[in-house]
Amino acid sequence: MKSFSLFSITDEQAMWRVQMQDDAEAFALLVERWEGPIQNLCTRMLGDAHRGEDLAQEAFTRVFTKRKDYEPRGKFSTFLWRVALNLCYDELRKRERRRETSLDLDSEDGELGFVTEELSPDISVAREETADGVRAALMRIPETYRSVLVLRHYEDLKFREIADVLAIPEGTVKSRMAEGLSQLARLLEREAKRENTIKSRITSKTAETGRELLVL
Amino acid sequence: MSYLYDEMPANNRAGMKSHLEACASCRAQMTTWQGATHELDNWRLPSHRRGRKGVTWVRWAAAAAIIGLTVLGAACITTLSNEVKQLRTEVQRSSQLDFNAALAQVTEQASKSASADAQALIAAVAQRLEEKRLTDQQATLATLQKLNAQHTEDFASMRKELETVAVFTEAGWQRTQNQLADIAYSPASVSNNQQE
């Protein structure tokens, strides 16, 4: 009876049970409902699915350990998005520090760089490359813009909800969204140009070798 | 941004649309942003279920049933032929059933959530009682333990005192014995001296 009635309770009711009675069943329900979205948020903030999964798990652990801090007046999802996003910010800051210390060793920003040397004719590979290009471009956008882009575009939160999560005015959310999209468009355009020059260089080179072969 | 993500009220939206048609620079900006959002769509992740789909579904079903009924009502006024009337009653009956089912589902869901609330409250009260009982038990246990410790202590001190008394008594007895022995021997030695 109890487990069945759990399916009809709201997130807030479930969280109240977790908060007041340490109800494991209610917590499991919340995890089941929100694990996917939180994993996707972390993956998109970090550009890394494995680390995204780890952070999502950490976010739920934190929600449980900080369950007494949750204020029942607000929406549970707002609280959860905020916890997860803060973990992402911490992780990105850690990465930044690591990169600064190892900057002398590799000048190339390896993991974020584009790999366009080899162009495969396979369509699925090409699609994967486009996805990778978008991912890489998003990673280059400042995280304050990225979080707004991810929450609005991928997680489909309204601007008002994002303002609640980030505790900033709705107008600021919109201006960050505009700036984020503009930066993204610029980055992708630049990459497309770079890719085209590489492509033309490769075709001219193959033409050259072909001509040489003909001469021989 | 509200326009781009369809969050604008309809009347503002119409105004915005006509402005975009007239203003080339705004149109170019909007196109750039739209292009960027299409690019974002290229990065797909495994889809996920979110929130309370069940409840939304029931709501949609109820809404669909209501809309269906309204449409049917309007259609009935315009058509008069008997055949259509018959058809109408039939369809109406079936949609009524649908509507009833949806309504029943909604009611059931509502009552379920209400019972969940009640259950949560009962559980909370039960937990409080349990906690109270536990603290009472602990208090009693602590008092008992304290009493027990007091008893042990009393017993130990009493035993110590008794032992002291016993030692003293034994010493006194020894002393008396010695004195008796002295007394027993000394007259004899005195008489011996006198004889010599």
Side-chain angles (χ1 to χ4, degrees):
Chain A
M1 173 69 197
K2 196 187 174 193
S3 62
F4 185 67
S5 67
L6 265 178
F7 284 102
S8 56
I9 70 173
T10 64
D11 291 337
E12 288 70 29
Q13 284 169 327
M15 189 59 202
W16 185 82
R17 285 192 188 183
V18 173
Q19 198 174 22
M20 293 298 164
Q21 307 157 18
D22 298 343
D23 189 335
E25 215 175 322
F27 188 68
L29 179 82
L30 287 173
V31 173
E32 196 205 343
R33 274 183 191 167
W34 288 98
E35 199 174 25
I38 294 298
Q39 262 178 22
N40 285 2
L41 168 80
C42 296
T43 301
R44 291 206 143 104
M45 282 307 288
L46 306 173
D48 176 352
H50 292 295
R51 201 66 197 111
E53 266 174 41
D54 291 347
L55 271 200
Q57 233 168 38
E58 219 174 307
F60 282 108
T61 315
R62 190 160 288 192
V63 165
F64 192 78
T65 49
K66 293 198 162 187
R67 60 191 180 281
K68 306 287 175 200
D69 295 347
Y70 166 70
E71 283 177 26
R73 270 172 295 149
K75 263 174 88 175
F76 167 73
S77 57
T78 308
F79 173 68
L80 180 62
W81 289 122
R82 195 180 298 150
V83 168
L85 211 52
N86 282 336
L87 280 174
C88 290
Y89 285 155
D90 288 347
E91 170 80 10
L92 289 167
R93 230 161 281 146
K94 261 185 242 163
R95 272 191 197 175
E96 191 60 40
R97 243 173 279 143
R98 243 178 281 144
R99 197 175 308 151
E100 268 169 18
T101 51
S102 63
L103 203 64
D104 304 327
L105 295 170
D106 49 351
S107 53
E108 198 78 22
D109 51 344
E111 54 177 320
L112 303 178
F114 287 73
V115 186
T116 44
E117 294 305 317
E118 279 176 63
L119 291 168
S120 166
D122 193 351
I123 297 169
S124 70
V125 172
R127 194 173 295 154
E128 226 163 77
E129 268 177 21
T130 348
D132 206 48
V134 175
R135 182 189 64 81
L138 256 179
M139 287 306 115
R140 288 183 177 182
I141 290 175
E143 58 203 43
T144 43
Y145 299 150
R146 197 190 314 151
S147 52
V148 175
L149 279 182
V150 170
L151 287 175
R152 177 59 266 211
H153 189 83
Y154 293 116
E155 299 306 328
D156 205 24
L157 264 69
K158 300 273 174 270
F159 288 118
R160 179 69 251 155
E161 291 175 282
I162 301 176
D164 288 341
V165 171
L166 300 174
I168 54 173
E170 198 178 330
T172 314
V173 175
K174 285 178 188 166
S175 63
R176 282 186 189 178
M177 186 79 193
E179 183 54 31
L181 282 178
S182 302
Q183 285 197 14
L184 186 77
R186 270 203 297 279
L187 277 169
L188 288 171
E189 201 184 345
R190 209 183 301 156
E191 276 316 312
K193 266 184 199 160
R194 212 173 91 172
E195 212 168 297
N196 278 339
T197 50
I198 289 168
K199 238 189 233 175
S200 62
R201 217 177 292 157
I202 288 170
T203 43
S204 66
K205 208 155 201 177
T206 37
E208 223 170 86
T209 33
R211 236 175 286 136
E212 276 169 20
L213 277 172
L214 272 178
V215 169
L216 284 173
Chain B
M1 279 300 122
S2 305
Y3 180 81
L4 188 66
Y5 277 97
D6 228 357
E7 283 191 34
M8 212 174 233
N11 49 340
N12 291 7
R13 195 171 172 78
M16 186 73 180
K17 206 172 176 188
S18 60
H19 172 73
L20 282 174
E21 275 160 19
C23 175
S25 65
C26 284
R27 200 166 53 236
Q29 178 67 80
M30 194 50 80
T31 315
T32 311
W33 285 337
Q34 272 162 350
T37 59
H38 290 147
E39 288 284 359
L40 282 174
D41 287 335
N42 283 324
W43 184 16
R44 281 187 214 127
L45 291 179
S47 61
H48 49 253
R49 285 190 306 120
R50 173 138 144 231
R52 297 169 298 283
K53 277 246 167 86
V55 178
T56 348
W57 181 81
V58 171
R59 274 197 204 134
W60 275 111
I66 290 164
I67 290 166
L69 265 182
T70 328
V71 169
L72 267 173
C76 290
I77 294 163
T78 48
T79 54
L80 285 165
S81 81
N82 278 342
E83 233 175 308
V84 174
K85 263 186 191 167
Q86 210 170 8
L87 198 71
R88 182 195 66 185
T89 47
E90 216 168 287
V91 174
Q92 213 167 17
R93 206 187 310 129
S94 79
S95 59
Q96 186 81 45
L97 280 176
D98 280 355
F99 179 69
N100 280 347
L103 201 70
Q105 232 166 335
V106 171
T107 327
E108 198 188 352
Q109 210 110 30
S111 67
K112 250 183 246 162
S113 73
S115 79
D117 281 354
Q119 262 181 346
L121 272 173
I122 290 166
V125 171
Q127 213 197 356
R128 286 282 153 73
L129 278 174
E130 181 70 14
E131 273 167 16
K132 183 90 175 66
R133 205 170 62 84
L134 264 177
T135 46
D136 282 357
Q137 245 176 9
Q138 270 166 352
T140 322
L141 197 70
T143 326
L144 276 175
Q145 270 170 346
K146 216 163 126 190
L147 270 175
N148 197 21
Q150 187 70 41
H151 278 163
T152 326
E153 211 176 303
D154 285 355
F155 180 70
S157 66
M158 208 154 89
R159 190 176 154 158
K160 211 165 145 193
E161 274 164 26
L162 266 174
E163 269 169 4
T164 322
V165 170
V167 167
F168 278 142
T169 320
E170 203 172 341
W173 188 72
Q174 195 77 42
R175 218 171 27 244
T176 322
Q177 213 175 22
N178 283 347
Q179 275 171 355
L180 274 173
D182 281 350
I183 293 164
Y185 283 117
S186 48
S189 61
V190 168
S191 63
N192 277 351
N193 283 343
Q194 276 174 347
Q195 274 175 0
E196 275 172 29

